[in-house]
Amino acid sequence: MNKTKNAIKPCYEIIMQIGNLENHPNDELSQVILEDFYLQFKSVFPKLEVIGAYIHNDEDGSMHMHIDYIPVADSTRGMKKQPLINSALEQMGYKSESINNTAQMQFQEDCRILLRNLCIDYDLEVEESKADHREHME
């Protein structure tokens, strides 16, 4: 596999979770909200072809969903459709402005906003937390 900076990746994944280990809705409500998020994801982000979506709660923490997708960008050179994440994001209106505000970061923030709004629609009180980077749990 080509590991260069410009290598085309076969697919991408986003993981969405409601709450954390100590504070989360019950599994039934979480599943309904995550399923609703999946349906909206497919319509809001038409250039990201979903190839798999998995909801599970077999780890410490709250129920969460993995969405695997392939970016599908229109192209005027070569193949008419190409799996290019930056082009697909740009065609959906995302444009990198700086290293601290990339198209990918903007897309991820829109996913968080979409999930946050769904939680509010389901009458959940949403607490804003400071974004911080934590190592993955074992």
Side-chain angles (χ1 to χ4, degrees):
M1 180 174 190
N2 186 351
K3 295 189 182 213
T4 65
K5 178 175 113 172
N6 298 321
I8 294 176
K9 295 180 184 169
C11 68
Y12 293 80
E13 179 178 62
I14 189 163
I15 301 172
M16 302 305 294
Q17 175 176 317
I18 304 168
N20 57 31
L21 181 61
E22 297 84 27
N23 186 12
H24 56 84
N26 65 50
D27 287 352
E28 293 79 20
L29 181 55
S30 292
Q31 183 165 346
V32 168
I33 294 170
L34 291 171
E35 288 174 353
D36 201 355
F37 176 86
Y38 163 76
L39 294 173
Q40 290 196 27
F41 182 95
K42 287 179 60 171
S43 66
V44 171
F45 306 112
K47 296 289 183 184
L48 305 178
E49 185 67 36
V50 175
I51 57 172
Y54 320 96
I55 296 173
H56 64 97
N57 190 19
D58 60 352
E59 303 164 12
D60 285 342
S62 65
M63 182 176 286
H64 60 278
M65 177 172 53
H66 300 249
I67 296 179
D68 299 330
Y69 59 91
I70 297 172
V72 180
D74 297 316
S75 178
T76 56
R77 294 183 346 186
M79 296 186 308
K80 291 184 183 200
K81 303 282 186 187
Q82 296 189 20
L84 303 171
I85 190 66
N86 289 334
S87 296
L89 290 173
E90 185 175 320
Q91 290 171 16
M92 292 187 296
Y94 298 99
K95 187 160 179 76
S96 292
E97 296 173 5
S98 70
I99 194 165
N100 295 319
N101 190 18
T102 66
Q104 184 72 30
M105 291 172 170
Q106 295 165 28
F107 158 69
Q108 290 172 347
E109 179 61 18
D110 280 355
C111 287
R112 286 188 285 275
I113 290 168
L114 177 60
L115 183 58
R116 182 181 308 121
N117 290 340
L118 282 170
C119 289
I120 291 168
D121 289 346
Y122 281 92
D123 295 324
L124 291 178
E125 182 179 334
V126 177
E127 290 181 16
E128 299 297 328
S129 63
K130 292 182 181 177
D132 62 345
H133 177 75
R134 289 175 282 192
E135 294 300 317
H136 287 86
M137 296 171 59
E138 290 296 323

